[in-house]
Amino acid sequence: MTSLQTESKERIARIQWLELQKQLLYVQKNSKFYKQLFKVHGIDVSEIKTEADLKRIPVTTKEDLQGYNEDFICVPREDIIDHVTTSGTLGNPVNFLLNEADLERLAINEMQSFKMAGILKGDKVQITTTLDRRFIAGMAYFLGLRKLGAGIIRTGSGLPHLQWDSIERFKPNYLVAVPSFLLKMIEYAESNAIDYKNSSVKAAICIGEPLRDQNYDLNALGRKITELWGIELFSTYASTEMATAFTECEHHTGNHIQPELVYTEVLDEAGNAVKMGEIGELVVTTLKVQTMPLVRFATGDLVSYTNESCKCGRNTMRLSPVLGRKKQHVKYKGTSLYPQHIIDVLVEFNSISNFVVVVQKDENELDLLTIKISNSLIEVEQEELKQHFQTRLHVIPEIEMISDSEINNLKNPKGSRKPVLFLDLRR
């Protein structure tokens, strides 16, 4: 446990603010993008003394990062040693670059995240995510575990046979995995008479998909995994742009921030801070980043937060699971929905193993919600699904039966590094 996270809330806030001021001075001196932004808005960062002052700086969007990518670079080109990409809103991936100091920061971030989940030197961790394809996360996990001194098994993504062979061969006690892939591992184990319930694995650090609801209870996906395979599940939340992870401790009541590495705000539509427990957009300022630091970067992710002290002894802000993307809010038949609401209902319905959720505009420019599911669902089950939606969400979306191959084509668009369960065709 880092000492800062167990300090008083006042000291945490003071240290975090000092790091924020250092980063603002750094970008004002070195970032072409922020130099121009501050000039246009008449901002001298040395005069930013309070949170109210900070709000004078406009948020940075993903469109900014894509449109002015080169202008965010703050170090000489020859110092850049790692080149990755993140998904873009304008069609093409966005370049994101790191120097040696950024990789060291990334390693520290992940080391502290793994410690938060209880991983110690001497533990063995199997990484079931890719380290290639310009993907920052796999590299981050490797660097963090290496810094921690834990054993590492790099199996990469997919290949259930290799995963189980590695578990049998090396006896890892932790996995790093996308939750839905854990279900595929269970399915493979059951089909091949593998005694997975008595394997060496005791917990999984889960990435890419929410495991819990706003009350921190396991959602449908999390419950399904733990009912089948009694391992402990730890949620994490991260993004390439933040180069920072928010991770659960053993009490599973929100993802702790690392205050020396990121400054967080949760804002409403008007750009004002929401109250504790209310839903807003996460906006972050990365701290101690040298190559491509971001100031008030709007993540697009909708979360709530708590500032209450955690039972683990940490006094840091904790974030809820991501409810959805700001632009993915659906207003269907007068009811406000977010992707995770819909996905949870489908995961709960055991007869469905393959689906994709599609939202588009109808002829009246209203949101039209369609669930595309495998045509193996019989008529009685279709009616049960509609009733399930009515009970859980108070609305019934359109149900369309298509083949598994059509669903898989929709779920795996070209260039995507993970399955897409929610397709927004309104734009």
Side-chain angles (χ1 to χ4, degrees), residues 75 79-82 97-104 290-291:
V75 300
D79 289 349
I80 295 169
I81 59 173
D82 199 42
L97 314 173
L98 302 92
N99 68 358
E100 179 63 41
D102 294 332
L103 286 177
E104 176 64 13
Q290 292 187 5
T291 306

Side-chain angles (χ1 to χ4, degrees), residues 267-284:
L267 307 180
D268 63 18
E269 289 282 352
N272 299 313
V274 302
K275 295 178 182 177
M276 189 168 68
E278 294 180 345
I279 294 170
E281 180 181 14
L282 180 66
V283 173
V284 301

Side-chain angles (χ1 to χ4, degrees), residues 43-282:
I43 296 169
D44 180 351
V45 297
S46 66
E47 297 174 356
I48 293 177
K49 307 292 185 185
T50 66
E51 290 183 3
D53 295 335
L54 184 64
K55 289 182 181 178
R56 292 173 53 205
I57 302 175
V59 297
T60 299
T61 66
K62 201 153 194 177
E63 289 80 4
D64 292 328
L65 189 57
Q66 188 157 27
Y68 303 95
N69 193 253
E70 296 281 315
D71 293 348
F72 283 88
I73 300 171
C74 295
V75 300
R77 282 283 178 176
E78 59 267 26
D79 289 349
I80 295 169
I81 59 173
D82 199 42
H83 301 71
V84 299
T85 56
T86 180
S87 59
T89 58
L90 304 178
N92 292 317
V94 180
N95 295 343
F96 200 81
L97 314 173
L98 302 92
N99 68 358
E100 179 63 41
D102 294 332
L103 286 177
E104 176 64 13
R105 176 190 174 281
L106 194 64
I108 291 170
N109 162 79
E110 292 298 338
M111 176 186 70
Q112 293 177 173
S113 294
F114 284 127
K115 282 184 175 181
M116 207 173 294
I119 298 176
L120 304 171
K121 182 175 183 178
D123 285 325
K124 284 183 280 188
V125 183
Q126 186 160 311
I127 304 175
T128 74
T129 59
T130 183
L131 274 73
D132 56 10
R133 302 184 189 177
R134 307 187 309 220
F135 189 43
I136 195 173
M139 175 62 76
Y141 305 139
F142 175 77
L143 292 174
L145 290 168
R146 183 169 179 254
K147 195 166 193 67
L148 178 58
I152 308 169
I153 301 132
R154 295 178 288 107
T155 52
S157 59
L159 304 173
H161 170 74
L162 178 63
Q163 307 296 345
W164 284 114
D165 178 75
S166 299
I167 290 169
E168 176 62 28
R169 189 180 295 268
F170 299 113
K171 304 292 190 294
N173 42 353
Y174 288 88
L175 302 178
V176 176
V178 175
S180 55
F181 182 64
L182 293 175
L183 288 178
K184 292 187 183 302
M185 287 183 61
I186 293 169
E187 182 181 346
Y188 182 90
E190 290 178 339
S191 298
N192 291 273
I194 295 171
D195 186 13
Y196 65 95
K197 293 183 179 180
N198 290 309
S199 73
S200 59
V201 178
K202 67 176 186 179
I205 314 301
C206 294
I207 66 167
E209 297 169 345
L211 279 174
R212 301 185 185 277
D213 59 25
Q214 297 302 109
N215 297 317
Y216 309 120
D217 296 320
L218 286 171
N219 62 17
L221 178 59
R223 290 196 304 273
K224 185 172 285 190
I225 295 167
T226 54
E227 286 167 5
L228 292 168
W229 192 6
I231 59 175
E232 189 172 6
L233 303 178
F234 289 87
S235 292
T236 65
Y237 164 67
S239 74
T240 300
E241 299 91 345
M242 293 188 296
T244 313
F246 302 74
T247 307
E248 283 185 334
C249 68
E250 68 272 21
H251 295 285
H252 306 289
T253 53
N255 296 331
H256 287 271
I257 77 162
Q258 298 190 40
E260 69 278 26
L261 299 180
V262 66
Y263 182 89
T264 55
E265 304 170 74
V266 184
L267 307 180
D268 63 18
E269 289 282 352
N272 299 313
V274 302
K275 295 178 182 177
M276 189 168 68
E278 294 180 345
I279 294 170
E281 180 181 14
L282 180 66

